[in-house]
Amino acid sequence: MLADWIAVDWGTTHLRAWAMSAAGEVQATAASDAGMNGLSRDGFEPALLDLVGGWLAEGRQTPVIACGMVGARQGWAEAPYRAVPCTPLDAGAMIAAPCSDPRLSVRLIAGLSQASPADVMRGEETQIAGLLAARPDFDGVLCLPGTHSKWARISAGEVVSFQTFMTGELFALLAEQSVLRHSVAAAGWDDDAFAEALSDAISRPDRIGARLFTLRAEALLSGLAPEAARARLSGALIGVELAAARPYWLGQDIAVIGAAGIAGTYVAALTAQGALPQQYDGDEMTRAGLTAAHAQRKGASQ
Amino acid sequence: MLADWIAVDWGTTHLRAWAMSAAGEVQATAASDAGMNGLSRDGFEPALLDLVGGWLAEGRQTPVIACGMVGARQGWAEAPYRAVPCTPLDAGAMIAAPCSDPRLSVRLIAGLSQASPADVMRGEETQIAGLLAARPDFDGVLCLPGTHSKWARISAGEVVSFQTFMTGELFALLAEQSVLRHSVAAAGWDDDAFAEALSDAISRPDRIGARLFTLRAEALLSGLAPEAARARLSGALIGVELAAARPYWLGQDIAVIGAAGIAGTYVAALTAQGALPQQYDGDEMTRAGLTAAHAQRKGASQ
């Protein structure tokens, strides 16, 4: 099985690739943990060949389109940020990565930047392009929850502005590395505890600093269940994010893009606030965005 | 040099001891990193003997009074929490730790608990007792900044209520382990950056979630100095704490107890808000509190 072209999502800690047909269908998938963090500049091409070498035809170049931290300053090659307002993709701004294997032709998608308030994204612009490929007239707000949640205002096919929240990373640090790790379960959930903590945090986000240690104290004093503590920690942090992001989502058409679990949590939270978000799968949007990028590259080179 | 009695501050990661004279003077000091975290239950006595064995007379018991996590469930022996409102110390609630060396007589000071909102402290009650030994008529609010900052309302010699903020731990996790570690200096400071971030955070604490990643983005986009980023992160987190603790300190007599650096930072922050805090050294208050505890024990046993 040979690929017509290869779609790649290359982040800080992961590398995923899809062998695509000329008709835009996924023929094969592959993944490894060869993320940007573990690679020196000359380690990217071997890591990619390890994963997709079997999909490459001899005697011709197979186009590879990659998004994510692979295009950061510490990545394979730097694809400089494009400043918003702008379309999520621009064929001319896709940087060629240096390759020694003649079968490879690799392009890296540029991230987006915002001057004030200062902000950056790498990878999410591709998911945004994926959504716009499916809904070219979308006018509203996208929420992309994750380690670093992004909120983006979309209008007339452009990213108008965006804002990053470190909610996922804060949750992981607090749940796994802080004193709360003794009281917060590594898995498990409690819907009611989440809903209550979310509601409290949205209505009084200024009290976040006072809420965290309460989880530890309740565990010590009254046996708070670790699963409930996990749900409350998540609810408190997401609530603070939703409160600060309210100017983004209030009264807007909202789409939430992400893996089923976390996206579903945000959809539930926004719905509880009276919003009517639609949910999209993060992987599908990534592939759709890479497909749009490939089509733009083909158009640009013809 | 033999001690009349020994004062001990035994926390999660440190062990400090003072050889005290009958007149209450410090004759010698010693410290090690044998904190509670690294010890099993039968490791406490040897760790203490390693540090203070040379201060013990043969043929009689030397009283040792210890505060801190040594009295936690995972410590040498559990000294159950005492519920507020209550005095910071109670001679009857100092638990005897099991010792095999006949020269030792060890008592552990109990921490304090609060049912609602749930909260606990271990160690700070001794510093509070130290302040009350110097100012028995103090009526107001104590701020004890640190890994877990405590705010305590004091009236008529009792701790009326208290609240814990994880500010110091959040700062360490974000500065050293999150994506911000690339942009935040390990040392260094910028007074103006701190003051501005503090003021922003106090007036809009609900926006904390949106402020953090800005430090990373400004470093990438406009070369924010790592020392300024460090001061801004600190100002943002302390500002959120001061905003949530405002019901505690507004219009109150305030004393800040802690090491010179962090206590000075809080004093400056509170002063900028129009408060008139007084500053006390944390180590001195710990020793004064242990001295008060020793006097209470002597009184109780006579």
Side-chain angles (χ1 to χ4, degrees):
Chain A
M1 195 285 306
L2 302 176
D4 181 67
W5 67 281
I6 298 172
V8 173
D9 174 21
W10 206 330
T12 309
T13 59
H14 69 267
L15 165 58
R16 293 183 307 163
W18 295 274
M20 306 296 291
S21 74
E25 283 165 355
V26 175
Q27 300 175 289
T29 68
S32 82
D33 57 1
M36 181 202 72
N37 263 356
L39 295 174
S40 61
R41 184 143 295 191
D42 56 6
F44 286 88
E45 186 176 358
L48 183 64
L49 284 170
D50 272 353
L51 202 63
V52 309
W55 301 343
L56 302 175
E58 298 298 330
R60 72 168 170 92
Q61 285 192 326
T62 299
V64 176
I65 305 277
C67 68
M69 293 302 285
V70 65
R73 203 171 296 167
Q74 306 80 16
W76 191 345
E78 183 176 4
Y81 295 112
R82 299 165 55 234
V84 295
C86 64
T87 57
L89 299 178
D90 178 68
M94 295 173 202
I95 297 295
C99 295
S100 54
D101 190 307
R103 299 171 298 168
L104 281 176
S105 167
V106 177
R107 291 279 170 173
L108 310 181
I109 293 175
L112 304 184
S113 68
Q114 176 174 279
S116 180
D119 218 325
V120 293
M121 68 166 70
R122 273 198 195 277
E124 293 89 353
E125 75 293 327
T126 302
Q127 295 181 307
I128 294 171
L131 183 110
L132 286 175
R135 296 182 60 184
D137 297 327
F138 181 85
D139 193 304
V141 169
L142 300 183
C143 168
L144 302 99
T147 303
H148 298 158
S149 295
K150 309 279 180 185
W151 291 77
R153 283 197 186 91
I154 308 296
S155 187
E158 292 196 332
V159 179
V160 178
S161 64
F162 65 98
Q163 175 108 54
T164 302
F165 295 85
M166 292 176 59
T167 306
E169 186 163 22
L170 270 173
F171 179 82
L173 288 171
L174 286 166
E176 295 163 19
Q177 309 219 38
S178 82
V179 69
L180 301 184
R181 70 187 183 278
H182 303 299
S183 309
V184 171
W189 198 251
D190 180 324
D191 279 331
D192 292 341
F194 174 79
E196 194 175 329
L198 180 83
S199 169
D200 283 354
I202 288 181
S203 60
R204 290 297 306 274
D206 55 303
R207 293 194 49 72
I208 180 66
R211 283 198 187 90
L212 300 175
F213 191 74
T214 302
L215 299 175
R216 175 70 180 142
E218 281 192 37
L220 286 168
L221 299 178
S222 51
L224 174 66
E227 296 77 17
R230 179 179 175 80
R232 273 175 56 183
L233 178 61
S234 175
L237 295 174
I238 293 176
V240 168
E241 176 184 335
L242 292 187
R246 189 183 274 122
Y248 269 77
W249 55 263
L250 198 65
Q252 298 291 314
D253 195 1
I254 310 176
V256 178
I257 300 174
I262 185 68
T265 299
Y266 274 70
V267 163
L270 285 161
T271 303
Q273 294 297 308
L276 295 167
Q278 291 186 282
Q279 184 174 342
Y280 293 86
D281 182 71
D283 280 359
E284 280 179 34
M285 292 303 105
T286 298
R287 275 199 311 277
L290 290 164
T291 300
H294 176 62
Q296 286 191 18
R297 281 294 306 166
K298 276 181 73 174
S301 65
Q302 274 167 1
Chain B
M1 195 284 306
L2 301 178
D4 182 67
W5 67 282
I6 298 172
V8 172
D9 175 21
W10 206 330
T12 308
T13 59
H14 70 266
L15 165 59
R16 293 183 308 164
W18 295 274
M20 305 296 290
S21 73
E25 283 166 354
V26 176
Q27 299 175 290
T29 67
S32 82
D33 58 0
M36 181 202 72
N37 264 356
L39 296 174
S40 60
R41 185 143 293 191
D42 56 6
F44 285 89
E45 186 176 358
L48 183 64
L49 284 170
D50 272 354
L51 201 65
V52 308
W55 300 343
L56 302 175
E58 297 297 330
R60 70 169 172 91
Q61 284 193 325
T62 298
V64 176
I65 305 277
C67 68
M69 293 302 285
V70 65
R73 203 170 297 166
Q74 305 82 15
W76 192 344
E78 184 176 5
Y81 295 111
R82 299 165 55 234
V84 296
C86 62
T87 57
L89 299 178
D90 178 68
M94 294 173 202
I95 297 295
C99 295
S100 53
D101 190 308
R103 298 172 300 168
L104 282 176
S105 167
V106 178
R107 291 279 168 173
L108 309 180
I109 293 175
L112 304 185
S113 68
Q114 176 174 279
S116 180
D119 217 325
V120 293
M121 67 166 71
R122 274 198 194 275
E124 293 88 354
E125 75 293 326
T126 301
Q127 296 181 307
I128 294 172
L131 183 110
L132 286 175
R135 295 180 61 184
D137 297 327
F138 182 84
D139 192 304
V141 169
L142 300 183
C143 167
L144 301 100
T147 304
H148 297 158
S149 296
K150 308 280 181 184
W151 291 77
R153 283 198 187 92
I154 308 295
S155 188
E158 291 195 333
V159 179
V160 178
S161 64
F162 65 99
Q163 175 108 54
T164 302
F165 295 84
M166 291 176 58
T167 306
E169 185 163 22
L170 271 173
F171 179 83
L173 287 171
L174 286 167
E176 295 163 19
Q177 309 220 37
S178 83
V179 70
L180 302 184
R181 70 187 183 278
H182 303 298
S183 309
V184 171
W189 198 250
D190 180 325
D191 279 331
D192 291 343
F194 174 79
E196 194 175 328
L198 180 83
S199 169
D200 282 356
I202 288 181
S203 61
R204 289 296 307 274
D206 54 304
R207 294 193 51 71
I208 181 67
R211 281 199 187 91
L212 300 176
F213 191 74
T214 302
L215 299 174
R216 175 70 180 143
E218 282 192 37
L220 286 169
L221 298 178
S222 51
L224 174 66
E227 296 76 17
R230 178 178 176 81
R232 272 174 56 182
L233 178 61
S234 175
L237 295 175
I238 292 176
V240 168
E241 176 183 334
L242 292 187
R246 189 183 274 123
Y248 268 77
W249 55 263
L250 197 66
Q252 297 291 313
D253 194 0
I254 310 176
V256 178
I257 301 174
I262 185 68
T265 299
Y266 274 70
V267 163
L270 285 161
T271 303
Q273 293 297 308
L276 295 167
Q278 290 187 283
Q279 184 173 342
Y280 293 85
D281 181 70
D283 281 358
E284 281 178 33
M285 292 302 105
T286 299
R287 275 199 310 278
L290 290 164
T291 300
H294 176 62
Q296 285 190 18
R297 281 292 307 164
K298 276 182 72 173
S301 65
Q302 277 167 359

